[in-house]
């Protein structure tokens, strides 16, 4: 009898583990940290490289518009979450026309950034310690453009809900180091299927909503879900930035050499046009 | 009123001028600006150092690996009462897989210093800088041939400058300036002639080493600031301004350290015509260096500090041969700079402050500036150039030229 009991327990043990693990899986599906990591991979790392023409419209509360028109090239050196290189060539406005900007982005370390000023043919290295600084005067910070290390925040799954007809995870992210971000916490609605953040709400140190990101148009491009229109709105100042991505292409075969001083000085016509 | 209507009409037409088209595979791009630049002196009277309107046209055309670029200015200068024409840049580029060539008038900037030039041996317009023109006017173009080679191990920039172009220094009547030879009016400038022997050669080798941008520089040419020699020391009647030969050997390193950018640069200036240091007219050989650190201290605020030094060799000879009554240079001249920049209102408003201070000469220059981008096409800047120190020091001699400058630029 004892033998039989014993063997039942032994036989049942793997099933028990299986049931337990399945239970925890269906409860949280994925841990919040993992959802954020996968979402960042889908949002900031699709393809081995990317090329896009980007139009930024900076709109004040009273409707005055300014334009930033540039071509952006991105290349992943490693796989998701690893080192990346960015190259930006500006068409507009006229006072920055022909300027180029290059970023070597490293996970867990400050970026290297270079700016080329064509009027004096000067390559200038730029200090990049504060990723909250505005990207070209828009409502997007550098961090918003190239991603924030997922490890810098504690993530928790608040709920799962339908958002704009999509099944989403709703995740709250709280910076581990308070001084490392402008927000005291952030709430993201992440599409379960594409893992693209459809909306993000940023709350300031007083706990009041101040910035809202929305992915306005998401298209499948070469099988990668791509946000082709997005908006960042500062709800406190009324200022907003609308960004449109055009001519998006992935896996173009952009060489490593493009992200160098040579092309900073002489933009690669093949890629920036 | 007619002027205003004229300007408005001009703005409208110039917007139409801005162009980016492709014709039969040739990409053509046209741009430029219309600018007013006014600089009243704020001490010793209320005259203007600069008052001009300027129109710039940039034209670029490229066709499969070949491109031409021209940047031409037309201006009316009310202080000199003249209309001028200036070809700032005009060059032809040929791009190949491993090498590029650029021929023509071009601006070349070398080194990692911020307004401290050690390995940047190319001509500058210091007068433009001191009279409150936009920074780009500090650099002058050279008529040169430039060859770039890109290899995996190292990249190379090789430059030949057959036509001599000197620095432009602040001078009367615009500037009130200390001149040890003020009583001698007859002056003759002897520039190096254009020939093979006088062709300036500059070479830069560079690559990235462990995340640092590293460069080596070699230059053989001339001092771009003239040496001054009277025809006769006892009773001079005429001054000869000439450009002694110079060779420069230098290096620089720049990279991210301590959440900021560290810059290191140094060079040995070999004064080929005065290696013994006994010619009082010619600058002795020197070693120059700089250490700079730039860091973003908070959002949209950057601070940069630089410390630089110039050490003169054969100082004993220099002192012995220095004519009596002449201001004495220090053996070791030091210069520090501080730059603070804050962007506000979505980077449409830029507050900046730049200071030069020499602990050895006790002279300084301060440049506070406010710049506002009114629209994408129109910006205005208001700033000041404040000089101080003893009359015989570098910045002190400009003390009577403290000025306020206004720049209004419509860009298309």
């Amino acid at each position: 009898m004892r033998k039989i009991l014993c063997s039942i327990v032994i036989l049942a043990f793997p099933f028990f583990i299986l049931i337990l693990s399945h239970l925890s899986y269906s409860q949280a599906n994925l841990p919040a940290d993992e959802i954020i990591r996968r979402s960042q991979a889908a949002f900031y790392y699709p393809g081995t490289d990317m090329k896009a023409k980007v139009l930024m419209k900076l709109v004040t509360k009273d409707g005055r518009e300014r334009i930033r028109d540039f071509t952006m090239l991105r290349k992943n050196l490693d796989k998701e979450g690893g080192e990346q290189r960015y190259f930006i060539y500006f068409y507009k406005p006229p006072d920055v026309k022909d300027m180029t900007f290059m970023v070597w982005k490293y996970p867990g370390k400050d970026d290297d950034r270079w700016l080329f000023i064509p009027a004096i043919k000067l390559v200038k290295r730029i200090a990049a310690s504060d990723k909250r600084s505005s990207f070209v005067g828009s409502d997007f910070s550098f961090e918003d453009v190239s991603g924030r290390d997922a490890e810098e925040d504690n993530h928790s799954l608040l709920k799962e809900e339908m958002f704009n007809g999509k099944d989403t995870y709703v995740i709250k992210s709280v910076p581990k180091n308070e001084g490392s971000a402008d927000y005291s916490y952030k709430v993201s609605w992440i599409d379960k299927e594409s893992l693209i953040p459809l909306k993000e709400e940023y709350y300031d140190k007083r706990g009041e909503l101040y910035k809202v990101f929305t992915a306005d148009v998401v298209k499948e491009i070469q099988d990668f879900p791509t946000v082709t229109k997005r908006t960042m709105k500062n709800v406190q100042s009324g200022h907003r930035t609308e960004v449109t991505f055009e001519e998006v292409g992935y896996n173009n075969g952009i060489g490593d050499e493009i992200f160098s001083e040579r092309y900073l000085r002489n933009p690669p016509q093949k890629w920036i046009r | 009123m007619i002027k205003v209507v004229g300007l408005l009409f001009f703005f409208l037409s110039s917007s139409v001028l801005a162009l980016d088209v492709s014709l039969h595979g040739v990409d053509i791009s046209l741009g430029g600006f219309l600018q007013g630049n006014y600089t009243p002196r704020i001490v010793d009277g209320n005259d203007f150092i600069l008052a001009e309107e300027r129109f710039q046209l940039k034209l670029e055309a490229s066709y499969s690996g070949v491109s031409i670029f021209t940047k031409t200015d037309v201006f009316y200068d009310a202080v000199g009462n003249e209309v001028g024409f200036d070809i700032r840049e005009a060059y032809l580029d040929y791009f190949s897989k491993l090498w590029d060539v650029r021929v023509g008038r071009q601006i070349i900037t070398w080194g990692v210093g911020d307004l401290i030039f050690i390995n940047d041996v190319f001509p500058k317009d210091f007068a433009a800088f001191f009279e409150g023109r936009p920074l780009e006017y500090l650099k002058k173009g050279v008529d040169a041939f430039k060859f770039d080679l890109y290899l995996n191990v190292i990249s190379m920039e090789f430059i030949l400058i057959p036509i001599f172009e000197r620095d432009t220094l602040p001078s009367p009547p615009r500037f009130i300036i200390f001149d040890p030879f003020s009583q001698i009016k007859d002056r003759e400038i002897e520039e190096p002639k254009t020939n093979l022997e006088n062709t300036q050669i500059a070479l830069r080798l560079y690559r990235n080493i462990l995340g640092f941008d590293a460069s080596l520089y070699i230059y053989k040419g001339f001092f771009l600031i003239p040496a001054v020699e009277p025809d006769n020391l006892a009773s001079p009647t005429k001054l000869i301004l000439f450009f002694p030969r110079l060779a420069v050997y230098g290096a620089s390193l720049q990279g991210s350290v301590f959440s900021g950018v560290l810059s290191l640069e140094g060079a040995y200036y070999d004064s080929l015509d005065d290696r013994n240091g006994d010619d009082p007219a010619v600058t002795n050989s020197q070693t120059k260096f700089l250490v700079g650190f730039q860091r973003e201290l908070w959002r949209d605020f950057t601070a940069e500090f630089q410390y630089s030094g110039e050490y003169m060799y054969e100082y004993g000879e220099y002192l012995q041969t220095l004519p009596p009554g002449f201001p004495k240079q220090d053996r070791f001249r030091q210069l520090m700079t501080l730059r603070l920049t804050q962007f506000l209102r979505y980077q449409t408003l830029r507050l900046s402050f730049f200071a030069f201070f020499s602990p050895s000469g006790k002279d300084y220059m301060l440049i506070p500036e406010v710049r506002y981008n009114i629209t994408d096409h129109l910006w205005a800047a208001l700033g000041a150039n404040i000089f101080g120190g003893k009359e015989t020091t570098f910045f002190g001699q400009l003390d009577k030229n403290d000025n306020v400058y206004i720049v209004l630029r419509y860009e298309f």
Side-chain angles (χ1 to χ4, degrees):
Chain A
M1 185 64 191
R2 246 167 92 187
K3 254 187 187 170
I4 293 168
L5 255 179
C6 225
S7 50
I8 286 173
V9 168
I10 289 167
L11 279 173
F13 189 71
F15 290 99
F16 180 69
I17 295 291
L18 210 71
I19 289 162
L20 207 72
S21 65
H22 186 75
L23 266 176
S24 69
Y25 183 71
S26 65
Q27 265 171 18
N29 221 336
L30 281 171
D33 286 7
E34 188 54 31
I35 296 169
I36 290 292
R37 249 192 302 277
R38 289 188 191 187
S39 170
Q40 290 211 339
F43 195 44
Y44 294 110
Y45 283 85
T48 53
D49 65 42
M50 186 202 69
K51 169 191 186 276
K53 292 204 80 172
V54 182
L55 184 72
M56 279 190 160
K57 225 193 271 180
L58 286 55
V59 190
T60 62
K61 188 173 62 180
D62 41 355
R64 281 178 34 171
E65 279 184 14
R66 290 185 297 132
I67 296 292
R68 301 284 174 271
D69 184 1
F70 54 90
T71 294
M72 182 166 90
L73 308 174
R74 164 177 60 75
K75 178 160 184 158
N76 302 346
L77 293 198
D78 319 314
K79 47 184 191 302
E80 288 156 4
E83 216 175 296
Q84 282 183 321
R85 302 214 163 146
Y86 288 84
F87 185 99
I88 289 171
Y89 171 83
F90 288 96
Y91 285 95
K92 282 178 193 164
D95 69 332
V96 298
K97 184 171 190 298
D98 292 328
M99 267 194 200
T100 49
F101 180 60
M102 181 167 76
V103 181
W104 288 17
K105 183 175 153 28
Y106 312 99
K109 194 181 119 182
D110 286 335
D111 303 343
D112 283 327
R113 295 181 195 161
W114 295 263
L115 184 70
F116 174 67
I117 302 162
I120 47 172
K121 305 284 188 278
L122 173 73
V123 170
K124 190 174 157 56
R125 216 168 160 127
I126 300 175
S129 50
D130 198 332
K131 292 176 179 167
R132 298 169 300 169
S133 284
S134 163
F135 178 74
V136 299
S138 72
D139 291 281
F140 289 87
S141 67
F142 273 92
E143 209 164 63
D144 298 327
V145 173
S146 66
R148 174 178 167 89
D149 286 338
E151 287 71 30
E152 284 195 72
D153 295 342
N154 286 316
H155 309 283
S156 56
L157 183 65
L158 293 182
K159 57 188 170 185
E160 296 172 34
E161 67 176 23
M162 292 297 284
F163 177 83
N164 281 355
K166 302 269 186 189
D167 215 355
T168 61
Y169 298 112
V170 183
I171 289 175
K172 182 178 177 180
S173 305
V174 182
K176 290 177 185 169
N177 169 9
E178 218 178 282
S180 75
D182 278 341
Y183 55 87
S184 60
Y185 69 94
K186 175 177 97 170
V187 180
S188 316
W189 280 258
I190 293 168
D191 182 1
K192 282 189 179 179
E193 196 191 328
S194 66
L195 290 164
I196 292 289
L198 300 179
K199 184 184 179 187
E200 288 171 338
E201 290 180 349
Y202 294 81
Y203 292 83
D204 65 14
K205 305 287 180 198
R206 291 166 302 166
E208 281 169 36
L209 180 68
Y210 77 100
K211 230 164 79 160
V212 179
F213 166 87
T214 47
D216 308 317
V217 178
V218 184
K219 278 186 194 158
E220 287 270 326
I221 297 175
Q222 293 170 261
D223 294 334
F224 296 107
T226 307
V227 182
T228 54
K229 190 167 186 299
R230 66 193 71 188
T231 304
M232 184 71 90
K233 179 164 186 174
N234 187 318
V235 293
Q236 290 181 2
S237 72
H239 195 282
R240 71 175 191 275
T241 301
E242 299 169 8
V243 188
T244 318
F245 277 51
E246 282 169 1
E247 299 170 37
V248 181
Y250 296 101
N251 303 335
N252 308 282
I254 302 171
D256 287 359
E257 74 282 358
I258 295 300
F259 304 88
S260 68
E261 182 178 331
R262 175 184 189 179
Y263 291 100
L264 207 55
R265 289 176 180 274
N266 296 307
Q269 294 302 321
K270 180 184 172 190
W271 296 116
I272 60 164
R273 244 181 292 152
Chain B
M1 187 60 203
I2 292 164
K3 250 185 171 173
V4 173
V5 173
L7 274 178
L8 276 175
F9 176 74
F10 187 85
F11 282 176
L12 290 172
S13 59
S14 62
S15 305
V16 179
L17 267 180
L19 184 76
D20 268 302
V21 292
S22 192
L23 285 172
H24 305 293
V26 183
D27 290 326
I28 298 167
S29 156
L30 203 62
F33 62 72
L34 182 72
Q35 173 182 283
N37 198 169
Y38 310 97
T39 310
R41 197 189 309 275
I42 52 174
V43 286
D44 273 22
N46 49 7
D47 57 333
F48 277 76
I49 296 177
L50 178 71
E52 66 155 40
E53 290 84 37
R54 182 174 285 260
F55 172 67
Q56 178 175 93
L57 197 65
K58 281 186 286 189
L59 170 70
E60 188 169 13
S62 58
Y63 178 77
S64 84
V66 181
S67 90
I68 55 164
F69 178 78
T70 62
K71 187 197 271 185
T72 312
D73 285 15
V74 182
F75 58 89
Y76 170 65
D77 164 22
V79 174
N81 194 22
E82 58 159 349
V83 173
F85 177 77
D86 182 13
I87 300 174
R88 299 271 306 152
E89 288 177 90
Y91 55 76
L92 180 117
D93 274 324
Y94 177 75
F95 303 111
S96 160
K97 198 169 159 56
L98 283 180
W99 50 274
D100 303 335
V101 171
R102 177 169 290 174
V103 185
R105 184 166 300 172
Q106 50 191 299
I107 287 170
I108 304 168
T109 304
W110 276 5
V112 296
D114 181 7
L115 297 177
I116 293 183
F117 305 103
I118 294 179
N119 287 296
D120 189 326
V121 289
F122 307 104
K124 290 164 205 79
D125 185 342
F126 291 103
F129 179 63
F130 294 140
E131 68 200 18
R133 288 183 194 272
L135 186 65
E136 65 203 74
Y137 286 94
L138 172 58
K139 295 289 298 184
K140 291 169 81 176
V142 278
D143 297 324
F145 167 88
K146 183 160 84 82
F147 174 77
D148 280 280
L149 179 68
Y150 310 97
L151 301 173
N152 280 338
V153 197
I154 205 155
S155 294
M156 187 188 99
E157 204 175 352
F158 177 71
I159 297 155
L160 291 174
I161 309 171
I163 301 169
F164 181 80
E165 180 69 44
R166 63 192 149 108
D167 285 348
T168 304
L169 299 173
S171 63
R174 275 176 213 265
F175 287 89
I176 304 164
I177 203 148
F178 173 75
D179 181 355
F181 297 106
S182 53
Q183 72 285 5
I184 310 168
K185 299 289 174 228
D186 188 6
R187 290 165 188 223
E188 191 181 308
I189 297 172
E190 280 180 7
E191 288 194 348
K193 291 193 174 58
T194 301
N195 59 36
L196 196 64
E197 197 193 343
N198 285 344
T199 295
Q200 301 164 67
I201 305 169
L203 175 73
R204 178 167 81 107
L205 299 170
Y206 61 101
R207 66 159 294 159
N208 192 285
I209 300 172
L210 301 169
F212 278 77
D213 302 321
S215 295
L216 288 174
Y217 311 86
I218 299 172
Y219 168 76
K220 193 179 164 295
F222 302 91
F223 282 99
L224 303 185
I225 292 176
V228 183
E229 201 160 48
D231 54 347
N232 175 341
L233 258 184
S235 57
T237 57
K238 182 174 156 185
L239 287 180
I240 315 248
L241 279 67
F242 65 104
F243 300 85
R245 291 181 305 141
L246 170 72
V248 180
Y249 309 95
S252 71
L253 205 60
Q254 193 172 46
S256 304
V257 176
F258 305 123
S259 303
V261 174
L262 177 72
S263 306
L264 301 170
E265 187 172 350
Y268 175 67
Y269 274 53
D270 187 353
S271 181
L272 298 170
D273 291 333
D274 187 25
R275 280 187 163 158
N276 302 327
D278 54 8
D279 185 341
V282 180
T283 306
N284 288 7
S285 294
Q286 292 167 304
T287 288
K288 301 186 181 191
F289 70 89
L290 79 82
V291 182
F293 187 67
Q294 176 204 354
R295 190 168 169 173
E296 193 173 21
L297 292 179
W298 56 80
R299 188 177 355 155
D300 291 325
F301 177 83
T302 311
E304 179 171 18
F305 175 78
Q306 295 180 117
Y307 171 77
S308 78
E310 283 180 20
Y311 181 85
M312 190 200 295
Y313 295 99
E314 311 299 341
Y315 193 66
E317 293 289 333
Y318 166 76
L319 288 184
Q320 268 181 21
T321 53
L322 187 73
F326 263 63
K328 189 178 73 177
Q329 281 184 48
D330 293 310
R331 181 197 295 252
F332 183 53
R333 180 165 183 262
Q334 299 166 73
L335 187 61
M336 299 193 292
T337 73
L338 177 69
R339 181 188 287 282
L340 305 173
T341 310
Q342 172 78 62
F343 282 100
L344 295 165
R345 297 165 140 254
Y346 293 93
Q347 295 182 3
T348 54
L349 183 62
R350 184 181 73 192
L351 308 178
S352 64
F353 175 77
F354 190 89
F356 283 110
F357 172 70
S358 168
S360 51
K362 304 270 185 299
D363 54 329
Y364 62 86
M365 178 186 181
L366 310 176
I367 315 169
E369 190 191 84
V370 181
R371 176 178 150 155
Y372 183 56
N373 282 40
I374 301 155
T375 69
D376 273 346
H377 291 275
L378 189 64
W379 61 260
L382 173 66
N385 293 304
I386 312 291
F387 307 92
K390 273 198 303 197
E391 194 187 40
T392 54
T393 56
F394 186 77
F395 296 113
Q397 63 181 326
L398 289 157
D399 200 13
K400 295 194 170 83
N401 301 284
D402 289 356
N403 61 65
V404 169
Y405 61 86
I406 298 162
V407 184
L408 185 67
R409 182 186 284 190
Y410 177 84
E411 216 145 352
F412 59 89

